[in-house]
Amino acid sequence: MAEYINVTTLNLLAKQVLEQCEPLNNLIVCGEVSNFTRHYKSGHCYFTLKDENAAIKCVMFRDKARLLGFAPENGMLVLAYGRATLYERDGAFQLYCDYMRPFGAGAAQMAFDALKKKLSAEGLFDADHKRPLPPMPQCIGLVTSKTGAALQDVIHIITRRWPMVKLLLAPVSVQGLEAEKSIVDGIRRLDADPRPDIILITRGGGSKEDLWVFNSERIARAAYACKKPVVSAVGHEIDTTILDYVADLRTPTPSAAAELCVPDQAQVRHEIFILQQNIQKNIQSRLEMCYNKFNIISPAAAMQNEKTGIDARAQLLRQTTAQIQAVAAQKAAACTQGLHTAAAVVASLNPYAVLARGYTMIADARGRCLTTEHLKPGQKITVIGSNAAAQCTVDAVAPTQGNPEKEQTDEST
């Protein structure tokens, strides 16, 4: 009896044979998409590629599907990059796709229009989101290939026009399987860096296939999310990409982008020169006006103007002097009246004025004034009049006749 193998072993052998076949490991397959499905949980894409005579099942896993720059649709002609092998469980020969892009003008335009319509509906192209470029940037971030001609064009023109600006390069791949991720990473790095004032995304001209990566949805969304103004300069003037619609400014070529991002130092110098000339002319005009105005006024008129000014100030001085004198006179009169009043009061209280009317004062030996109630017999006193004083001795002290108070006191006693 012949030796046998089971189905699992058969499929494993077939898979090993296919994987050892080098042409099947690096394929680019052209075909029409049909039965396209994206699994809602896993994110894997399952579809069939077919032509007039045959079909092959295909699968694109989630990590690869995330890098698609367009939305595949049934009937679209595409180029699928990947490897062909056997799925052991089902014994199905299928193509594992790593990358895919539209092929042919019709398919490419269909994918382009579909993505453009989608992003436009989300507002990524709105004019309200467009930001103006700073007039004199200090630093410009470049997202481009470090070996491309576009970089050299930008450096040459910016150095000639505005050498004060600094250039910060985020080197990226601008074509190939890794181009999309590389460009997205470059945009995000420069946007996170505080130095650049503008982000310029550029590459030189090429075929539509070469420039197709700039129609990527991921690149468009990365540019839209930038906090800094984004300038797109991809290809030539006739080339238009999705990035051009999202960017704050679209320029036809890298050279044009360099000219629009920075001012021209020659033009700025010329404007400063014109400004200086205008300032000098204005100053000269003002000086001439003052000179002419001075010449119009004759010396006699000038003297008359001075005399009028002096007369006005003299009149003001006379008025001020008269006011001061009037206030001083009022103050002096008030003081004189107060002095007279005070003198009259003092005179009325002068005891010597009373003596002049015939009265006398009694003083003891120490010169202290006494009243008769305090006198004692035998006491030495001095009787003082207005013109003379007499030394006396008290013989006796008796109450004055007719003093009611004294009499009343005596009766009580």
Side-chain angles (χ1 to χ4, degrees):
M1 183 177 180
E3 186 176 351
Y4 67 90
I5 61 174
N6 58 28
V7 176
T8 300
T9 304
L10 174 61
N11 287 352
L12 180 59
L13 290 173
K15 180 180 180 181
Q16 292 175 350
V17 171
L18 292 175
E19 289 181 347
Q20 292 173 2
C21 181
E22 184 62 29
L24 295 179
N25 291 326
N26 191 15
L27 294 172
I28 302 177
V29 181
C30 179
E32 180 182 321
V33 177
S34 65
N35 301 321
F36 183 86
T37 302
R38 187 189 295 267
H39 197 277
Y40 74 96
K41 286 186 176 180
S42 66
H44 305 328
C45 295
Y46 301 95
F47 56 96
T48 300
L49 287 182
K50 64 180 183 179
D51 57 19
E52 296 83 356
N53 303 312
I56 182 173
K57 293 186 178 297
C58 305
V59 60
M60 177 178 280
F61 294 116
R62 178 177 57 187
D63 59 333
K64 306 297 182 183
R66 289 176 58 251
L67 301 179
L68 281 175
F70 69 103
E73 296 181 2
N74 293 332
M76 184 180 292
L77 191 65
V78 298
L79 291 179
Y81 297 73
R83 58 188 177 86
T85 186
L86 191 74
Y87 182 42
E88 297 178 50
R89 191 192 70 178
D90 297 338
F93 180 71
Q94 58 186 19
L95 181 68
Y96 290 86
C97 294
D98 295 328
Y99 176 71
M100 186 165 56
R101 64 181 177 86
F103 181 72
Q109 189 62 41
M110 185 186 303
F112 181 89
D113 292 340
L115 180 59
K116 179 181 175 183
K117 182 178 179 180
K118 174 185 175 181
L119 298 183
S120 178
E122 294 182 19
L124 269 68
F125 305 158
D126 290 352
D128 295 341
H129 186 262
K130 308 296 183 184
R131 293 157 295 193
L133 303 186
M136 293 184 180
Q138 298 182 358
C139 181
I140 297 176
L142 297 176
V143 180
T144 189
S145 171
K146 64 181 178 181
T147 59
L151 175 61
Q152 300 305 318
D153 292 343
V154 170
I155 292 176
H156 173 72
I157 292 175
I158 288 181
T159 302
R160 172 175 55 82
R161 288 175 60 87
W162 198 249
M164 293 75 77
V165 72
K166 296 180 180 179
L167 300 178
L168 184 61
L169 176 64
V172 298
S173 299
V174 293
Q175 64 184 48
L177 297 179
E178 299 297 326
E180 181 185 36
K181 182 178 183 303
S182 179
I183 293 171
V184 170
D185 291 343
I187 294 173
R188 290 174 177 170
R189 287 200 308 271
L190 289 181
D191 192 43
D193 195 307
R195 290 173 291 178
D197 301 313
I198 301 172
I199 297 177
L200 172 58
I201 307 171
T202 183
R203 71 150 286 167
S207 64
K208 286 187 177 295
E209 289 75 15
D210 293 336
L211 303 180
W212 187 259
V213 67
F214 292 96
N215 292 320
S216 162
E217 182 177 354
R218 292 184 65 209
I219 293 177
R221 294 190 182 279
Y224 181 80
C226 279
K227 300 180 181 64
K228 301 170 183 176
V230 175
V231 178
S232 172
V234 178
H236 298 297
E237 187 170 1
I238 60 174
D239 299 315
T240 303
T241 65
I242 294 295
L243 176 63
D244 293 334
Y245 292 102
V246 178
D248 297 288
L249 175 65
R250 185 258 175 178
T251 58
T253 62
S255 299
E259 292 182 355
L260 293 174
C261 285
V262 296
D264 184 3
Q265 63 172 335
Q267 179 65 26
V268 173
R269 291 178 185 274
H270 179 69
E271 292 175 357
I272 294 175
F273 175 77
I274 296 298
L275 184 61
Q276 289 176 333
Q277 293 293 317
N278 291 338
I279 292 174
Q280 291 178 356
K281 290 180 181 179
N282 185 272
I283 294 175
Q284 184 65 30
S285 176
R286 288 177 179 271
L287 288 175
E288 290 178 357
M289 289 175 60
C290 294
Y291 180 77
N292 293 334
K293 184 177 181 181
F294 178 78
N295 287 339
I296 292 173
I297 301 175
S298 64
M303 291 293 292
Q304 184 61 37
N305 290 339
E306 289 295 328
K307 183 177 183 301
T308 301
I310 293 173
D311 291 343
R313 290 190 289 272
Q315 178 64 24
L316 179 61
L317 178 61
R318 286 193 294 271
Q319 292 176 355
T320 304
T321 302
Q323 292 174 355
I324 293 174
Q325 290 175 346
V327 172
Q330 293 176 358
K331 190 70 175 177
C335 292
T336 301
Q337 181 62 33
L339 181 61
H340 290 166
T341 301
V345 172
V346 170
S348 66
L349 299 176
N350 185 3
Y352 294 99
V354 178
L355 297 181
R357 296 200 300 270
Y359 292 93
T360 61
M361 292 188 301
I362 300 173
D364 60 10
R366 299 175 62 180
R368 293 178 299 179
C369 291
L370 300 174
T371 61
T372 56
E373 288 84 354
H374 296 89
L375 297 179
K376 297 178 181 180
Q379 183 178 359
K380 299 293 186 180
I381 61 173
T382 301
V383 179
I384 303 171
S386 61
N387 296 317
Q391 300 291 331
C392 302
T393 300
V394 178
D395 293 333
V397 178
T400 303
Q401 294 295 327
N403 188 340
E405 294 181 358
K406 183 63 178 177
E407 292 177 356
Q408 185 176 4
T409 302
D410 295 340
E411 291 176 359
S412 299
T413 305

